[in-house]
Amino acid sequence: VGMDIKRAARHLLASPKAVSRAFPPAALAAIELAIAQSERRHRGQLRFAVEAALDAGALLAGQTPRERALEVFAQLGVWDTEENNGVLIYLLLADHDIEIVADRGIARCVPPAEWERVCRMLEARLKDGQHELGVVEAIAAATELLAHHFPPRGEGRNELPDAPVLIRGR
């Protein structure tokens, strides 16, 4: 199995500043607010994480964006919610890849095609350079799915931080 040279070059040449260029502080604040508002409408937990590129070890191992998203999902404890209804929206900028990882509680209710639809919507915004708007819209779409299957019951508790996670790497 040969390593994809173009992919390796994209990752190794990616600037760690790519994340802060795509998501300046105001965008991060808007995303955090969107998550906080979202979680008032359902019992799920949303996280957003963005990474500029994979490190050399992950590249050599041939790690896919999906595998990395699952790793981040675990590292952030998104799986560790009372009703197993955590959702991670993960962007890997060097691969222009969006992954949504839904824990088993919500995955039982929402078919993969629905999450794929959210990914395609976000992808279109990213192609237009509308990073913040795309993520906020993806959060809104995930909110609708979570609110439908996990409507609020009394005072909800926030099990995971709302702040976006910037994985800076190297």
Side-chain angles (χ1 to χ4, degrees):
V1 177
M3 186 167 66
D4 179 340
I5 300 299
K6 285 183 182 165
R7 180 178 189 231
R10 271 197 323 271
H11 283 263
L12 296 173
L13 299 174
S15 165
K17 290 184 172 58
V19 170
S20 49
R21 274 198 304 274
F23 295 97
L28 296 174
I31 291 165
E32 184 171 356
L33 180 63
I35 290 172
Q37 290 173 336
S38 164
E39 290 180 354
R40 290 190 196 110
R41 296 193 44 218
H42 55 76
R43 298 189 317 275
Q45 292 291 306
L46 273 170
R47 297 295 322 256
F48 169 70
V50 57
E51 186 163 27
L54 298 177
D55 64 28
L59 280 173
L60 286 171
Q63 187 176 46
T64 66
R66 183 71 183 174
E67 290 165 343
R68 179 61 180 145
L70 290 166
E71 198 174 88
V72 171
F73 181 86
Q75 287 170 353
L76 297 178
V78 181
W79 55 270
D80 193 22
T81 63
E82 192 176 330
E83 295 185 71
N84 301 118
N85 56 6
V87 174
L88 171 68
I89 300 171
Y90 170 79
L91 299 185
L92 181 55
L93 296 178
D95 279 343
H96 308 287
D97 194 276
I98 303 154
E99 297 290 336
I100 296 179
V101 181
D103 202 359
R104 58 194 179 278
I106 187 70
R108 273 195 292 271
C109 307
V110 178
E114 283 294 305
W115 297 118
E116 191 59 33
R117 184 183 59 78
V118 177
C119 288
R120 297 296 71 85
M121 188 181 74
L122 174 51
E123 194 174 73
R125 290 292 190 197
L126 296 177
K127 278 186 179 140
D128 289 340
Q130 298 177 303
H131 294 78
E132 175 187 333
L133 179 61
V135 172
V136 168
E137 287 178 350
I139 290 165
T143 299
E144 294 310 314
L145 295 168
L146 285 159
H148 178 73
H149 297 286
F150 291 91
R153 268 195 231 125
E155 265 309 299
R157 46 177 237 194
N158 196 3
E159 298 178 75
L160 298 171
D162 297 337
V165 177
L166 309 181
I167 304 167
R168 304 216 189 260
R170 306 194 291 284

